């Protein structure tokens, strides 16, 4: 399958664009959804709710666990750097669209941004389903050409001195950004840390604010 449902074995030698002519599979899915809704078999609002759940809630929580562990456990961080797929599998996350992971670390000097310029490759195992903007032709084109401006549209204004590295995901490698640990979280446990980690920070279009108060 392509685009909305991701895809697995493609080799990036075709240039499909989900914002233009819908693919055959997308048309078929739409037709099925319309038919099932018309027959009262599914509620479109319920479908939207399911997608939202995997896009913004369940999916990214896995990545947040990985990030919180990396902040808390130096030995895990080393394993994550050496073989992210294996380290992530220690936490029970893996499988389709998560077989070949690489973690890229933000520092005060370097900010990492992830895109799939040709389609929508995304690390499902740790982030769930990609958000619609990730699949848009605007994001896919501009993230490489003008990453600083793209980040500004997400409300991230980086100092000129910060280097931005853009990582182009493929079916072969999927990237997870390891955000900087927020100030004010010394001594926090993994659950409290994980709760701070947003999906967008793991794609690289957001930075995590300093902790606002005492450990929850
Ligand atoms: Fe792709």
């Amino acid at each position: 399958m392509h685009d909305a449902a991701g895809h697995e074995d493609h080799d990036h030698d075709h240039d499909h664009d989900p914002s233009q002519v819908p693919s055959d599979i997308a048309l078929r899915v739409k037709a099925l959804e319309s038919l099932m809704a018309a027959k009262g078999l599914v509620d479109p609002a319920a479908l939207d709710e399911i997608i939202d759940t995997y896009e913004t809630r369940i999916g990214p929580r896995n990545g947040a666990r990985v990030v919180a562990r990396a902040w808390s456990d130096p030995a895990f961080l080393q394993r994550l750097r050496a073989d992210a797929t294996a380290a992530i599998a220690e936490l029970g996350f893996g499988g389709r669209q998560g077989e070949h992971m690489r973690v890229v670390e933000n520092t005060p000097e370097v900010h990492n941004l992830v895109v799939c310029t040709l389609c929508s490759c995304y690390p499902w195992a740790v982030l769930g389903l990609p958000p619609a903007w990730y699949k848009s032709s605007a994001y896919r084109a501009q993230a490489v050409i003008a990453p600083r401006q793209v980040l500004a549209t997400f409300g991230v204004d980086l100092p000129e001195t910060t280097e931005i590295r853009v990582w182009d995901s493929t079916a072969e490698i999927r990237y997870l950004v390891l955000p900087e640990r927020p100030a004010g979280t010394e001594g926090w446990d993994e659950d409290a840390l994980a709760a701070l980690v947003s999906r967008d920070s793991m794609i690289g279009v957001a930075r995590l604010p300093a902790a606002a108060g005492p450990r929850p």
Side-chain angles (χ1 to χ4, degrees):
M1 297 177 76
H2 285 85
D3 303 329
H7 49 263
E8 35 192 352
D9 292 316
H10 81 170
D11 53 9
H12 272 158
D13 61 0
H14 49 252
D15 190 2
H16 48 262
D17 183 342
S19 71
Q20 294 176 5
V21 181
S23 68
D24 181 59
I25 196 79
L27 287 172
R28 286 167 181 269
V29 169
K30 262 291 165 219
L32 276 173
E33 182 184 334
S34 301
L35 185 63
M36 292 176 83
K39 289 188 171 295
L41 295 173
V42 299
D43 173 1
L47 279 181
D48 290 344
E49 173 66 21
I50 290 168
I51 290 168
D52 177 68
T53 296
Y54 282 94
E55 219 175 67
T56 64
R57 299 212 293 273
I58 295 172
R61 289 302 96 212
N62 293 352
R65 304 298 320 179
V66 173
V67 169
R69 176 69 56 89
W71 287 341
S72 306
D73 180 345
F76 179 77
L77 177 59
Q78 289 301 331
R79 295 197 294 280
L80 200 60
R81 288 168 173 156
D83 183 344
T85 309
I88 289 167
E90 290 176 28
L91 302 188
F93 310 135
R96 290 188 68 227
Q97 317 282 328
E99 299 95 336
H100 307 288
M101 292 294 308
R102 179 163 169 199
V103 168
V104 289
E105 296 173 54
N106 284 354
T107 69
E109 294 79 33
V110 175
H111 183 88
N112 295 284
L113 178 66
V114 178
V115 65
C116 173
T117 55
L118 287 187
C119 38
S120 56
C121 296
Y122 190 74
W124 289 17
V126 284
L127 293 186
L129 299 175
W133 57 259
Y134 185 85
K135 297 180 280 187
S136 71
S137 54
Y139 179 75
R140 287 161 35 226
Q142 295 301 314
V144 173
I145 298 167
R148 201 170 288 277
Q149 288 84 333
V150 166
L151 286 170
T153 66
F154 282 91
V156 177
D157 288 302
L158 293 172
E160 283 298 325
T161 50
T162 302
E163 177 192 347
I164 302 174
R165 294 183 188 158
V166 180
W167 302 90
D168 194 356
S169 300
T170 66
E172 286 74 40
I173 299 190
R174 310 203 180 214
Y175 299 94
L176 179 73
V177 174
L178 181 62
E180 286 182 84
R181 181 171 177 157
T185 59
E186 295 75 17
W188 288 31
D189 64 22
E190 281 186 38
D191 286 345
L193 290 169
L196 296 178
V197 181
S198 67
R199 175 195 68 192
D200 285 0
S201 74
M202 294 181 280
I203 305 174
V205 296
R207 301 224 289 178
L208 300 176
R215 174 157 59 119

